[in-house]
Each structure stands twice: as C-alpha cells, then as structure tokens.
Amino acid sequence: MTIRAGSQQYAEDLVEASKTRVLYGQGRGGAFGNIAAAAVAMGVMALWSSDPIAHLPFVAVVLAHLHRFWLLRSFRQADPAVGEIQRWRRRFFISALMGGASWGLVGVLTLPRVGVGGQLFMVIMASGLTSAAVATLAAVSTVFIAFIVPTLGGIMIGIVVFGSFSSWAIAVLLVLYGGVIIRTARTQERSIAKALRLSVEKDELVRELTKATEREKLQREKAEQANEAKTSFLIKMSHELRTPLHAVLGMFELLGEGVRPGRERNFARTGYSSGRALLAILNNLLDLAKVEAGKVHLESLSFSLSRLLEEICELHAVQAEKKGLVLRLEFSKDLPEHVLGDPVCLRQVLDNLVVNAIKFTEEGLVTLAVQPGACEGTPDGIAFLVQDTGIGIAAEVQEQLFEAFEQADNSISRRYGGTGLGLSIAQQLVSLMGGCLKLESREGAGSLFRFSVSLPPTKGPEVCEAELSKPRKGAQRAKILVVDDNAINRLVAKEMVSQLGHDFVIASSGVEALERLGEQSFALVLMDCEMAEMNGLEACKRIRDDGLETKTGRALPVVALTAHALAPHIKACRDAGMNDVLTKPVSLVQLESCLHRWLD
C-alpha cells in the first residue's frame, strides 16, 4: 500500500516516533545490563589494582545508567504525542552519550592502573557491551553511535598509552570491530524502520478499511431508513386509499347490479373494472415493498389445504366465467386434508398465478392442480401447478418475467394492463417458502407455472379463542350489525348487506355497537377496526368477555372490515376474537361468501 501524498510526512513522523518508542521500550534491559557489568568489572579490577581512582569510573557508569532508569520512567508517565517525540529522542541521545562516556573513563583512568590481564578483560567486556547494545540501541543508529564511540574510544586510549606493539594491534582491531558493529547497527535500524513502516501502513489500511466500513454501514442504514420510510409511506397510503376505494368500488358494483342492461350498467362496470385495476396495482406495490423491506415472515399454522384452494377458485370463478373460461381445480386424493405452513403466503402466490392465467387466456381452460411433489428431498413436498391455454410466452423473454416491472413486451402491458409485479412477488414468496417458481411455455400454446414447497401433514386446526364459532352453510335472511365510523363506508356496507337479502342495523362506534348488542340480538357483526372512542378490536374483546350469542346459542360471529392489509394486523384481529377478516375494498362476491360461511 502507498500512503497518500498528503499524509506521507505524517507517516514518516509516525515511523520515527515508533523507533524512539522502541528505544525507550528496550532501554530498561540495557541499563540494567550496564549496571551489572560495572559491578562485575569493578570486582574483577580489584584483583589487579587497589587504587581508588581505578574504581571511580565504575561509579560514574552506575550513576549514568541510574539516570537512564529515571528517564525511562519519565517517558512512560509523559506518554508523549508524535509531535513531542523528537525532544525525548534528544534526551535519550544524551543519556546514551553519558553511558558511553562513563565507560570511556574506565578505559582512560582504570586500564593504565591494571595489568595486561585486566586490560584484556575490559576489551572483552567492552566488546560484549557494544554487541548487546545493538539489540537495545540500534533502532536509532545515532544513539548507538553516541554510546559505542566514547566506549571503544576510551578503551583504545587506555591501551595505547602503553605504547607496545600488541597494544596498537588491539587498538586497530577495536577500530575495525567498531566499524563492523556500527554497520550492523545501521542495517538493523533499516530493518526496524522497514518493519515499523509496514506496521504504520497496515494501521493506515485498517483505518481506511474501518472508515470505509463505517461509511458502508452508514449508507446501508440510510438505505434501510429510506426503504423503511418508503414501506411505511406505502402502507399508510394503502390504508388511506383502501377506504375511498371501498366506497368507489362498492357504489359502482351496486350501481351495476341495480340498473337495467344498457349504457348506465356499462358505465358502472367500466368504473368498477378500472377501480379493481387500481386496487391490483396498489396491492402489488404494497406486496413488493413488504418483500424488499424483509417484512414478510412465514407463519407455521395448521390449515385446510383443500378449503384454501376452493376459496381461491370461488374468488376467481366469476371473472373466469365473464370471459367464458373454465376454472378447474384438481386436488389429488393422496394429499392430506390439513397441512402445516403459511396459508396467507401460499394464497398470495396462487392468487397471482391464477389472476395472470385468467388475464392472458381468451378462451379455453385455466387449471389449478395440486399433487404430491418433491421438495429438496423432503417427503412432505406438495407441487402446485397453474396451467392455461392462453397466449403463451416466448422463450427469449421468460427469464425477465420474474423481474419487477417486467412483462414479455410493451404491447402486453398496453393490451392487458398490469404493472409486471405479480410474478416477481410470487417468485420471492415461493423462495421464502423454500421452493422455486418455474415456467414452461411456448408462444401461442399456453403456459404452465409450477413450484413445490414442504407442507407437512397435521391434524385439523384446534379450536382456539379466536375461532369461537364454526362456519355454517345455507345462510338465510339474517339481521346484521354494521359498525363503522365513516358515513360513506356505512352506506356501502348497508347497501351491500341489503342487496344480499339481509337486514341491518347501523352503529358508528364501538361504544354504540355494544349498546345495540345489549338492546337486540344479531346473527353477525361487520366491524371496522379503526374508530374513535372504542376501536373494533377492543369492542370485539368486550363482546367475547360478555359471551354474546346468536339466537341459536352459538358465539356471535364478528367479521373485521379493515383497510389494513398486513399480516400482523390480521393476526391482531384474530387474537381479539374476530372470526374472519375482510380487507377493504370488499366486493359483493367476497361479502356474500363470508356471510354464507358464518351465518346460521
């Protein structure tokens, strides 16, 4: 790694500061070694001389290195910054010079007063001291030189004064030795500097990586916050748009059913179809936002697979019939009645596939087939197939169909409408369930979408507090309590109930609903969730606490009418004791199917 030009000088300052810290870090051992060597040498010199002057330089050596200990302690306490290190290097240089000078005094004052044996001993000791100094002082060669030159210089002077040939020979050898050891120290300094420079560059790289990681984390957090804000906005808009859409679609549907065939009915049906198209776009955008934000969490619930499939076919049978298509359900007898999985997620995938099949088929057949099928080697795999006799898909564009906002070509979007989100959402949901959505199609020969997921067989759903009454078939005329704080929604709901041949009573809040329930008996309650004074969830809990029943003695069915479409809200409705949940906007077919299930 190359450090940027703007920080090159700072990097070099860091290296020099680190070299100085190495000096101070190894200084304790060097000081202790010199004091010990002085004590030993003074004892040995006493064998050759009792002159006090011969021993005085060793006291100077001890004092010089005791000063070194004080300097090391001061450095640790100060813990200087990079900009202050140079001053502390100068102090260490002076301390090393003092140590070398004190050993030089030994050579000058002691060696002339001892015999040849003492001189040889001091030469050997000086060689050992200077060799050891390479390990402790070579980090800064100038400091090493400040110690070794006066040390060896004093020894040479003490030897040369004898004037003998052997003395001059030893002096020459000491000079050569000094040159070699200085060269060794400088090589050692370069190695230390190189290692320190690599360390500095590594630290710089770590800092850069840390900064990059922090930037990436910050950007990821901002992206997540933006995604969260987008999702929250879509969820909020979904709720706000569903309420007026409920009124618009409800009125158009009621108008289409209430007028004679002609222009007015055509106008009403056109308005209703346009509203349903708008609702489909809204649902797809919300679903995509939930998947991208990771808000889709799989449930593990016991549910009736056959009943779920029948409800899907019932829901889309009217649209298929309007186009002259046959919507057929094929349910293998080898499949269990109840399975463990996420019915909401599975319904959403199959809804998307069936809607697409009906949309892109002009004549013929749409088949929803379910049969045992392998799923990553598990024995509980169930295969789902949706096949149509529609326009088919060209091979070269099949891969892109599973990308968001993609369709086979622009003419498809112009002719059939849609956002191109359905298959992308279905693919991601199937993947979340542990499967893979696959396509087999030829242009002009229809399409087959298939996937397999693991749905272990289980016993039927246990009766829980939220499931307080069982669906009943063969509904007759009944009296229904409609609870909603929005006047337009109340109008739509009562007109739909009336259109389906039932009587109704209106309440505009949870409190008023409880009052009406205390005054008369009802067969079912249609309950909005968000209301002033007392919301629908609290009102339902009160109904369950009071143990209200229908005339036949079973628990009073409560069906939520809510503009919230997310699973947590639907679960909250169930937990509050509601029997069913209808998400606005609600069609006459959906309401009729729901009433048919729950009324006596």
Side-chain angles (χ1 to χ4, degrees):
M1 171 186 170
T2 303
I3 298 178
R4 297 188 307 273
S7 61
Q8 184 67 42
Q9 185 58 50
Y10 180 69
E12 289 302 321
D13 291 343
L14 281 178
V15 171
E16 292 302 316
S18 298
K19 288 165 63 178
T20 303
R21 292 185 187 278
V22 170
L23 276 180
Y24 278 92
Q26 298 176 340
R28 180 182 294 271
F32 180 80
N34 277 272
I35 291 174
V40 171
M42 187 166 58
V44 173
M45 290 300 105
L47 298 176
W48 284 284
S49 175
S50 60
D51 189 347
I53 295 178
H55 301 293
L56 189 61
F58 294 108
V59 176
V61 172
V62 172
L63 291 175
H65 288 89
L66 286 175
H67 172 268
R68 177 84 56 81
F69 277 116
W70 172 84
L71 182 63
L72 296 174
R73 181 173 177 272
S74 300
F75 181 83
R76 286 197 304 272
Q77 291 177 340
D79 191 19
V82 174
E84 302 172 346
I85 284 290
Q86 194 61 35
R87 178 161 56 92
W88 287 92
R89 179 183 286 192
R90 286 194 295 269
R91 290 179 179 180
F92 201 99
F93 178 88
I94 294 171
S95 175
L97 187 62
M98 289 170 56
S102 63
W103 281 111
L105 286 176
V106 170
V108 173
L109 298 179
T110 303
L111 291 187
R113 291 173 172 80
V114 296
V116 175
Q119 293 174 3
L120 289 175
F121 174 81
M122 283 307 303
V123 169
I124 294 172
M125 176 166 282
S127 300
L129 286 172
T130 52
S131 296
V134 174
T136 58
L137 303 178
V140 180
S141 60
T142 53
V143 173
F144 176 77
I145 292 171
F147 174 77
I148 191 177
V149 168
T151 297
L152 295 180
I155 299 295
M156 284 189 295
I157 291 172
I159 293 175
V160 169
V161 294
F162 285 93
S164 65
F165 176 79
S166 60
S167 298
W168 282 100
I170 291 174
V172 171
L173 289 175
L174 285 176
V175 171
L176 294 174
Y177 168 76
V180 171
I181 203 165
I182 288 174
R183 182 182 180 87
T184 302
R186 284 178 171 170
T187 302
Q188 182 77 359
E189 180 186 28
R190 286 193 293 271
S191 298
I192 293 172
K194 182 178 180 180
L196 292 173
R197 189 169 287 106
L198 289 174
S199 176
V200 168
E201 291 177 352
K202 183 196 74 173
D203 292 342
E204 179 73 12
L205 178 59
V206 169
R207 280 194 295 271
E208 290 296 326
L209 288 174
T210 302
K211 289 179 181 178
T213 302
E214 290 175 351
R215 285 195 299 269
E216 182 183 357
K217 181 180 178 182
L218 183 61
Q219 291 172 354
R220 184 170 62 252
E221 288 175 352
K222 288 182 177 179
E224 289 173 354
Q225 290 172 359
N227 201 30
E228 183 73 24
K230 179 190 73 174
T231 304
S232 298
F233 172 77
L234 286 173
I235 292 172
K236 179 67 175 175
M237 287 299 99
S238 170
H239 178 269
E240 295 303 318
L241 288 172
R242 284 176 187 278
T243 299
L245 264 178
H246 177 59
V248 170
L249 289 174
M251 288 301 184
F252 272 129
E253 189 173 18
L254 290 168
L255 183 61
E257 295 293 332
V259 298
R260 295 178 179 177
R263 293 183 63 198
E264 290 80 4
R265 175 174 288 187
N266 290 336
F267 290 160
R269 288 183 174 177
T270 300
Y272 180 79
S273 298
S274 299
R276 297 300 297 184
L278 179 59
L279 176 62
I281 294 172
L282 176 63
N283 286 336
N284 281 337
L285 288 173
L286 181 61
D287 292 339
L288 182 65
K290 287 190 294 182
V291 171
E292 289 181 345
K295 289 185 174 293
V296 178
H297 303 288
L298 291 182
E299 299 283 351
S300 185
L301 304 173
S302 177
F303 65 96
S304 170
L305 181 59
S306 62
R307 182 174 163 192
L308 180 140
L309 298 169
E310 288 170 1
E311 289 176 356
I312 291 173
C313 289
E314 286 176 7
L315 180 62
H316 302 294
V318 175
Q319 185 63 31
E321 187 178 345
K322 287 180 179 178
K323 295 188 68 173
L325 304 176
V326 175
L327 177 56
R328 186 169 65 192
L329 172 62
E330 295 180 357
F331 188 83
S332 173
K333 295 180 180 179
D334 296 328
L335 292 174
E337 172 60 26
H338 291 91
V339 295
L340 194 65
D342 190 324
V344 175
C345 194
L346 181 60
R347 180 192 294 269
Q348 193 168 357
V349 172
L350 294 175
D351 272 337
N352 269 320
L353 296 179
V354 172
V355 166
N356 272 354
I358 294 173
K359 180 194 294 186
F360 296 112
T361 303
E362 297 299 334
E363 59 181 2
L365 182 67
V366 173
T367 303
L368 170 57
V370 187
Q371 59 196 31
C375 179
E376 298 296 328
T378 63
D380 304 319
I382 296 180
F384 296 85
L385 301 87
V386 178
Q387 188 169 16
D388 62 62
T389 56
I391 61 175
I393 303 166
E396 60 271 15
V397 297
Q398 290 183 14
E399 286 295 328
Q400 73 185 50
L401 286 181
F402 296 104
E403 299 176 10
F405 303 103
E406 291 291 343
Q407 291 186 332
D409 56 55
N410 291 332
S411 64
I412 296 293
S413 178
R414 290 193 297 270
R415 182 178 177 185
Y416 294 98
T419 58
L421 290 173
L423 288 179
S424 173
I425 295 167
Q427 173 72 295
Q428 294 182 67
L429 292 178
V430 169
S431 177
L432 196 64
M433 290 189 288
C436 179
L437 183 58
K438 298 180 180 179
L439 166 63
E440 298 175 15
S441 181
R442 286 188 299 112
E443 196 168 7
S447 302
L448 170 63
F449 289 88
R450 67 165 70 230
F451 66 92
S452 295
V453 292
S454 179
L455 297 173
T458 183
K459 295 180 180 179
E462 297 180 1
V463 177
C464 61
E465 193 172 342
E467 191 181 47
L468 296 168
S469 55
K470 296 290 184 179
R472 305 294 176 91
K473 299 294 183 179
Q476 299 178 351
R477 189 175 187 89
K479 184 162 63 174
I480 296 171
L481 178 61
V482 177
V483 188
D484 201 311
D485 63 344
N486 185 288
I488 297 177
N489 285 340
R490 289 199 300 272
L491 175 62
V492 173
K494 73 178 186 179
E495 290 295 336
M496 282 187 168
V497 169
S498 179
Q499 180 81 16
L500 294 174
H502 300 291
D503 299 323
F504 60 85
V505 173
I506 297 296
S508 59
S509 69
V511 173
E512 186 179 350
L514 294 176
E515 292 175 357
R516 297 288 178 267
L517 288 168
E519 298 169 355
Q520 50 190 307
S521 178
F522 294 92
L524 183 139
V525 178
L526 289 176
M527 181 82 73
D528 184 32
C529 289
E530 291 193 1
M531 296 181 290
E533 295 187 63
M534 181 187 294
N535 63 40
L537 301 182
E538 181 62 30
C540 187
K541 290 177 183 178
R542 293 280 294 274
I543 291 172
R544 297 310 179 207
D545 291 341
D546 293 343
L548 295 178
E549 299 178 344
T550 64
K551 289 181 178 180
T552 60
R554 71 186 182 107
L556 178 66
V558 179
V559 176
L561 274 176
T562 177
H564 288 289
L566 294 181
H569 184 78
I570 294 174
K571 184 177 183 299
C573 293
R574 300 283 189 183
D575 292 341
M578 294 182 173
N579 301 88
D580 212 339
V581 180
L582 291 176
T583 302
K584 297 176 183 175
V586 179
S587 68
L588 270 172
V589 173
Q590 289 173 307
L591 182 58
E592 182 180 26
S593 176
C594 178
L595 297 181
H596 191 67
R597 288 198 303 271
W598 295 104
L599 288 175
D600 288 330

